[in-house]
Amino acid sequence: METPKWNTKLLSARNVYEPAEDTFLLLDALENDIENLMKINPHIILEIGPGSGIIIAALASVLKSRVQCFAIDINPDACIVTRNTAELNNVTVNNTKKYVEVLNGNLLKAFQLRESIDVIIFNPPYVRTVNIETFVEGISQSWAGGENGRKIIDDLLPVLSKAISLNGVFYLVAVSYNNIEDLFTQMKVFGFVGKILKSRQVPGELLYVLKFKKTTS
Amino acid sequence: MKLVTHNMLTSKCLKGVNTGYPLKLVVKEIRVQSSDFNKEFISKMIPRLDWAVFVVAAKQIGHAGNLPDQLLPDYENNEELLKDVHHALFEVDIYEGELICPETNRKFQISEGIPNMLVKENEL
């Protein structure tokens, strides 16, 4: 996958973070895993919290008309930026364009859960914070994860199995203090088996990309 | 916001709402943009749709073509039908409008094609 383009000026004007180490680790992990991803023949892909939008834009440009990509972000500015990034990178085939559907919302709360999403990707706000910051509107929503950085992740996990299709997969970015072993244990309870797809030591933190699939698949 | 998205959205997270589905659509501005027709993809998407909800919405926005109220069994081989589905599902963008909770009439704005599905803590 080519590294997607993004509009630095728009990100700055909208107060959305530039892609950083966590974003690029996720991009690398997805690139390495793209053949496995193609094997499950995905039709619906959803990224939660796309921020700059480069991850979903990269997938949309690789998978083209075989999938519909969705992106949902709690921050309206990130929604604008994500759509712009998707447009900057979208591939033109036969003079027609492929768009990412962008929504402003919180996790999966607005979705009907009918086991129809083949791939969910989540680079969550995983930074340890005092809880209150999580609920303050603004840019802290892009990183503030409450105690252990698990607040937002733990909100999502219980509903995942009702959202993801039988052969579907879930990619999650996490950091060592999120307690990776405990994430695997929790996800097992919710019907998923997981593995570490990629990890990278960056200044101050050890980042992971985890991949989960349903135990029944 | 495309109809594929409308088909998946609910206001169920609102306090006191049972199903919150389908959301009522109010359309103020529509933009049509052609996109690649992929026969296999469209046939695979159809079983994931609430067909009745999709057809009603497509008729409402005036882009239903010849979509039947009930899905025909041999739809995978009906290219005309698949093209109509593709058009209504992916080529028509509701650029300005509203989604309305069928039970509480709570409105969700669609602005520049992006629906705002956020609800406040006290609405949950």
Side-chain angles (χ1 to χ4, degrees):
Chain A
M1 296 197 293
E2 278 181 46
T3 302
K5 301 183 268 289
W6 65 91
N7 181 338
T8 299
K9 275 185 190 161
L10 180 66
L11 265 68
S12 168
R14 292 280 175 175
N15 207 20
V16 170
Y17 281 119
E18 294 272 329
E21 285 93 345
D22 52 343
T23 321
F24 293 117
L25 181 67
L26 177 56
L27 193 63
D28 290 350
L30 289 168
E31 184 169 26
N32 291 347
D33 204 44
I34 196 79
E35 279 181 24
N36 292 321
L37 192 59
M38 305 278 253
K39 270 184 214 151
I40 65 164
N41 201 10
H43 298 299
I44 299 181
I45 297 183
L46 169 69
E47 184 178 11
I48 302 172
S52 66
I54 73 161
I55 298 295
I56 197 74
L59 286 174
S61 65
V62 169
L63 298 167
K64 301 192 181 83
S65 64
R66 277 173 291 215
V67 299
Q68 176 61 47
C69 291
F70 295 86
I72 187 160
D73 205 293
I74 197 165
N75 174 0
D77 288 311
C79 294
I80 303 279
V81 168
T82 291
R83 190 175 52 188
N84 178 267
T85 304
E87 284 171 7
L88 276 179
N89 294 286
N90 84 42
V91 186
T92 306
V93 186
N94 307 324
N95 295 319
T96 63
K97 288 186 167 184
K98 184 76 194 157
Y99 288 103
V100 173
E101 275 284 273
V102 181
L103 301 93
N104 187 197
N106 188 0
L107 303 176
L108 294 172
K109 290 187 201 304
F111 285 98
Q112 269 227 324
L113 303 175
R114 47 191 188 210
E115 298 188 35
S116 64
I117 305 174
D118 302 303
V119 181
I120 295 183
I121 300 158
F122 190 28
N123 182 354
Y126 55 70
V127 176
R128 278 183 290 210
T129 56
V130 287
N131 271 327
I132 190 73
E133 284 180 77
T134 311
F135 304 107
V136 177
E137 284 190 23
I139 198 162
S140 69
Q141 289 177 134
S142 67
W143 50 265
E147 196 183 347
N148 300 327
R150 283 278 296 270
K151 171 88 178 69
I152 311 297
I153 297 170
D154 287 343
D155 274 357
L156 178 70
L157 302 188
V159 297
L160 272 180
S161 74
K162 288 184 195 155
I164 293 182
S165 62
L166 188 64
N167 296 313
V169 291
F170 173 54
Y171 295 94
L172 177 70
V173 176
V175 64
S176 49
Y177 59 71
N178 294 152
N179 194 345
I180 307 301
E181 277 311 307
D182 182 68
L183 274 170
F184 286 133
T185 308
Q186 279 297 312
M187 284 299 278
K188 201 173 175 186
V189 174
F190 297 126
F192 288 87
V193 56
K195 64 175 179 185
I196 295 170
L197 207 57
K198 214 168 178 56
S199 64
R200 187 175 292 164
Q201 180 70 51
V202 302
E205 51 193 24
L206 177 55
L207 291 170
Y208 292 91
V209 176
L210 313 178
K211 180 184 183 180
F212 296 91
K213 59 181 184 178
K214 285 189 169 177
T215 37
T216 45
S217 68
Chain B
M1 189 203 74
K2 311 275 166 53
L3 284 192
V4 67
T5 303
H6 170 259
N7 206 269
M8 296 165 72
L9 293 180
T10 169
S11 56
K12 197 166 61 183
C13 72
L14 292 171
K15 199 190 314 182
V17 170
N18 290 322
T19 52
Y21 188 84
L23 296 170
K24 287 186 261 182
L25 254 177
V26 175
V27 176
K28 291 173 185 159
E29 185 187 341
I30 274 184
R31 293 189 178 184
V32 180
Q33 164 92 56
S34 65
S35 68
D36 290 343
F37 171 67
N38 182 323
K39 188 177 167 183
E40 193 237 333
F41 168 63
I42 299 295
S43 352
K44 292 282 164 51
M45 282 297 283
I46 286 176
R48 304 185 187 211
L49 296 175
D50 184 318
W51 182 262
V53 167
F54 166 55
V55 173
V56 168
K59 282 182 178 165
Q60 188 201 327
I61 65 170
H63 285 268
N66 294 316
L67 293 176
D69 290 333
Q70 297 213 334
L71 190 56
L72 312 165
D74 195 31
Y75 64 82
E76 295 100 327
N77 301 314
N78 185 342
E79 190 146 330
E80 252 177 67
L81 170 78
L82 296 177
K83 281 187 170 161
D84 281 348
V85 173
H86 169 76
H87 175 69
L89 210 51
F90 296 112
E91 295 189 323
V92 186
D93 194 33
I94 298 155
Y95 198 70
E96 295 290 336
E98 285 167 359
L99 295 165
I100 302 176
C101 168
E103 294 167 50
T104 64
N105 288 323
R106 202 295 199 174
K107 288 177 180 167
F108 301 90
Q109 297 295 328
I110 304 166
S111 172
E112 295 181 32
I114 300 175
N116 177 356
M117 302 307 294
L118 286 174
V119 297
K120 298 202 164 62
E121 287 284 316
N122 63 8
E123 294 179 284
L124 293 169

